[in-house]
């Protein structure tokens, strides 16, 4: 009988890598009975299997190591900056021995299936070897990169020579001396092994499907500076790692790569290149991973380096990545990788030019040539992140199969748990930072969270834990929202599941960073295990809810502004408030280039008003969008929404005229409203003089108080019988003075525009009796019929959300062609924050499309 039969345990852990070993240690400390099942015959996980020549870590070993055991930290000395596989394996074996872990590990034991038994709140875990274990908790510590990708090359298995797989390398090693060797693949494992195989082989031919970015690792002894930083205060060092974006303590620039001079940028990249640090380019500027133009500066720099090393221009060109942005596929660091292609016995076959046809008995055929080899090395990677999990037949509540549940992509809450599978925990599962981080740090965080959760359940007398559907779907949304503000989804990478035929294209890890992720996990606990249901003999406790609802880039903006510790605007004098608002606008990205910008004046209701005109680059006379800036009738100017106006101009291909109306408190209601209407009339009458279509099409648009003025201008134009306004786009408009209910209360604080600030604006703008005047609160107009068609944009976390929505409804009820565009996860300032709030792009495109529709211009 196989071991384990009838055994009753608190926890079964699968996998004896970094994660499983630490988890077993933690569970034992809690006094729990636990067994660890591992298919290999020893500990090590990744570092047990991947024994190919040159295998080593690419996060510095000081960082890529456990922090839970101060004694271990003090006694272990890494011999190199990036330790080799044998050294890392030695380290993990040492940890297993030091903590006497092996006595609870069953080696050569592959878990085949796991089934939830609702009646007993337990899992039955079955092994390929015929063993069966009953446990309350079942933890998959099966690794993100442990399931080899199934071979997908024609003729696989036909080769009569020697075949090797980097992720299942023979323990006794391989001697390639005198052999003709092929390597298929150019990912991390290939980049590490190729230079070493080339040292031995008589001939080496590398078959490359897609090139990867790589640069010298500059391995050697750990630098004195790093050692000093680590040794001077290890506790603080590790804590800094835990609260960093990547799990490695380092500073990340807040500057855009496009904000600095070419010389400054080049110097920064040379420093990053010289550092040999995998993460250095991502940290050099804040927008490398979100802005294509910023990213291209890195791509160009690194391709320049490749061309500088590889002598044959055709080979160099083939080695330069062209199909993905830097970082969107895992970049590599290497030792003489590109130099290897200068050796006379090494050649590159570019499979983009001559696709691989099949493996044959004696070698490899491309569509153009036949090659003969003695040995073929497959460096073709993993079915990452989900492969090892769904390889086990996991059956949850009511017979639900995890594989089926994840057929369209993994669904998890925090990457730790998944609905329908009580008491199942995933270590570094999909939806957690995992492979985008120093995994030692991410593993420890997950292990700690899971152990603490189990301890909490024991204290509280609960037998079951399960994520709620609402919490899970909100987390999946959040993970996708984060990916969508970056360039990652554009690459055919294993992060996207794109390396495995038939695998759904879903961004698998969480890109928000180790620090933000940790904060979310801690908040979940602090808020009473938000998003989880606990069940016990005495009670069921469900604390439903979503941990992150704000768009990720909005959250970053809010954090950044909070860190500035600015005074609340409503506590300032008007002069100070204007100075602060001007200063806040000064450092923002400028927005796109337009053809021409002209500052001028036009006659308002009581004197001249400044305006700023934005003309598109395209030739010809254009229709006009008359724009009103935000700022609560108190702040702002004709140029204060400059990036948004540029964006509108480019997207609509219309002339945008931003009007600087009179401000309160110097000029109170109805000055701004009358100026807005006067400006619309003047612009309509003088369109030809502005270079627009003579007597042509005109639409109005405005944000916030400017949205209020655009709406009011439409009402006044209707009353006055003209001018004709083709349409109105109101972005987060003020349509009513009353903020005492709905979103006015719900979003009163925490999202930049507060209810108190809105009140301050109203106090400066209009006397109380005037506030119900439709020229101040357009929602209060008795009759809204006959107004121009409208797009009303609202943001979920805006105190003004409900009044914007109410205006859209009221317009529609009055027979106006009105559309409401609610923006999920956004705040009052999201949409005008061009190139800052990237998640606002889709709404900006819809705004422009609506304006184009009103103006009758075809989309570009
Ligand atoms: C070549 C290589 C280099 C890497 N370098 C780095 C680096 O520098 N920095 C970094 O942060 N990360 C790196 N990684 C990622 C690495 O996988 C993680 O850092 C870490 O080792 C994962 O530990 P783990 O315990 O989660 O999983 P693993 O180490 O993958 O261990 C999982 C274990 O589970 C076992 N298992 C899986 N399924 C079953 C089953 N059904 N039954 C029984 N046993 C099972 C496997 O045999 C394996 O031993 C690298 C990965 C590779 C492949």
């Amino acid at each position: 009988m196989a071991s384990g039969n009838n055994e009753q345990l608190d926890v079964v852990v699968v996998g004896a890598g970094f994660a499983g070993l630490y988890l077993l240690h933690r569970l034992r400390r809690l006094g729990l009975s636990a067994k660890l099942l591992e298919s290999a015959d020893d500990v090590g996980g990744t570092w047990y299997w991947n024994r190919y020549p040159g295998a080593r870590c690419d996060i510095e070993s000081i960082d890529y190591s456990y922090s839970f055991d101060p004694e271990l930290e003090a006694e272990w000395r890494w011999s190199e900056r990036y330790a080799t596989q044998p050294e890392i394996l030695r380290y993990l074996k040492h940890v297993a021995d030091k903590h006497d872990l092996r006595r609870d590990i069953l080696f050569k034991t592959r878990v085949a299936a796991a089934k939830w038994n609702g009646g007993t709140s337990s899992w039955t875990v079955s092994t390929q070897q015929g063993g069966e274990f009953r446990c309350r908790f079942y933890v998959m510590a099966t690794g993100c990169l442990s399931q080899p990708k199934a071979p997908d090359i024609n003729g696989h298995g036909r080769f009569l020579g020697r075949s090797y797989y980097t992720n299942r390398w023979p323990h006794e090693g391989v001697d390639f001396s005198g052999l003709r060797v092929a390597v298929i693949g150019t990912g991390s494992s290939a980049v590490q092994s190729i230079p070493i195989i080339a040292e031995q082989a008589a001939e080496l031919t590398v078959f490359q499907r897609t090139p990867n970015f790589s640069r010298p690792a500059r391995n050697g002894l750990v630098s004195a500076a790093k050692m000093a930083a680590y040794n001077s205060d290890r506790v603080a060092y590790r804590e800094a790692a835990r609260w960093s974006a990547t799990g490695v303590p380092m500073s990340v620039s807040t500057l855009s790569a496009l904000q600095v001079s070419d010389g400054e940028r080049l110097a920064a990249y040379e420093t990053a290149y010289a550092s040999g640090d995998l993460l250095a380019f991502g940290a050099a500027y804040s927008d490398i991973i979100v802005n294509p133009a910023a990213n291209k500066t890195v791509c160009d720099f690194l391709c320049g380096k490749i061309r500088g090393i590889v002598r044959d221009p055709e080979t160099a060109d083939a080695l330069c990545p062209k199909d993905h942005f830097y970082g969107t596929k895992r970049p590599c660091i290497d030792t003489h990788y590109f130099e290897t292609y200068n050796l006379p016995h090494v050649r590159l076959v570019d499979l983009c030019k001559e696709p691989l046809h099949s493996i044959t008995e004696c070698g490899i055929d491309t569509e153009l040539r036949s090659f003969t080899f003695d040995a073929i090395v497959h460096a073709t990677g993993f079915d990452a992140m989900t492969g090892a999990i769904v390889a086990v037949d996991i059956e949850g509540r009511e017979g639900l199969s995890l594989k089926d549940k994840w057929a369209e992509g993994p669904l998890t809450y925090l990457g730790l748990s998944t609905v329908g599978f009580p008491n199942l925990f995933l270590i570094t599962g999909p939806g957690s930072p995992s492979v985008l981080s120093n995994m030692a740090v991410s593993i420890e965080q997950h292990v700690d969270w899971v152990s603490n959760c189990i301890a909490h359940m024991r204290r509280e007398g609960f037998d079951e834990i399960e994520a709620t559907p609402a919490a899970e779907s909100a987390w999946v949304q959040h993970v996708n929202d984060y990916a969508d503000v970056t360039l990652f989804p554009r690459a055919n990478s294993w992060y996207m599941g794109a390396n495995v035929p038939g695998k759904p294209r879903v961004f698998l890890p969480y890109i928000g960073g180790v620090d933000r992720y940790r904060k979310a996990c801690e908040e979940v606990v602090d808020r009473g295990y938000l998003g989880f249901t606990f069940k016990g003999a005495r009670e069921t406790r469900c604390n439903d809810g979503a941990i992150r609802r704000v768009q990720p880039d909005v959250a970053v903006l809010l954090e950044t502004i909070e860190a500035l510790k600015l005074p609340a605007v409503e506590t300032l004098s008007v002069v100070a408030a204007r100075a602060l608002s001007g200063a806040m606008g000064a450092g923002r990205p400028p927005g796109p280039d337009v053809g021409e910008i002209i500052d001028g004046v036009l006659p308002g209701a009581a004197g001249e008003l400044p305006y700023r005109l934005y003309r598109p680059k395209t030739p010809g006379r254009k229709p006009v969008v008359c724009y009103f800036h935000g700022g609560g009738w108190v702040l702002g100017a004709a140029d204060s929404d400059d990036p948004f106006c540029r964006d509108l101009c480019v997207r609509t291909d219309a002339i945008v005229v931003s009007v600087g109306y009179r401000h309160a408190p110097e000029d109170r209601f109805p000055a701004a409203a009358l100026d807005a209407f006067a400006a619309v009339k003047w612009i309509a009458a003088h369109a030809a003089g502005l270079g627009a279509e003579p007597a042509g099409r005109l639409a109005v648009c405005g944000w916030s108080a400017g949205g209020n003025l655009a709406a009011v201008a439409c009402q006044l134009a209707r009353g006055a019988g003209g001018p004709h306004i083709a349409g109105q786009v109101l972005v987060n408009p003020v349509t009513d003075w009353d903020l005492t209910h709905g979103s006015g209360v719900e979003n009163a604080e925490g999202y930049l525009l507060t209810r108190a600030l809105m009140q301050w604006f109203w106090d400066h703008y209009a006397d109380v009796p005037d506030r119900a005047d439709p020229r101040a609160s357009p929602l209060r107009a008795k009759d809204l019929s006959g107004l121009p068609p409208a797009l009303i944009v609202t943001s979920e976390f805006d105190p003004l959300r409900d009044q914007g929505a109410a205006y859209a409804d009221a317009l529609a009820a009055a027979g106006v062609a009105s559309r409401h565009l609610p923006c999920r996860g956004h705040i009052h300032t999201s949409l005008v924050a061009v190139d800052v709030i990237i998640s606002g792009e889709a709404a900006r495109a819809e705004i422009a499309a609506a304006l184009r529709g009103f103006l009758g211009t075809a989309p570009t």
Side-chain angles (χ1 to χ4, degrees), residues 14-20 37-39 44-47 49-50 52 56-59 64 109-111 141-143 145-146 189 330 382 388 392 428 437-440 443:
V14 192
F18 260 97
L37 313 182
E38 166 59 59
S39 62
T46 293
W47 304 103
W49 295 108
N50 292 270
Y52 58 83
R56 54 175 82 239
C57 56
D58 56 12
I59 297 284
Y64 184 57
T109 306
R110 172 163 288 280
V111 173
T142 42
L145 298 171
S146 60
S189 305
R330 191 178 170 92
F382 300 91
V392 175
T428 64
S437 65
N438 169 5
M439 288 202 60
I443 284 169

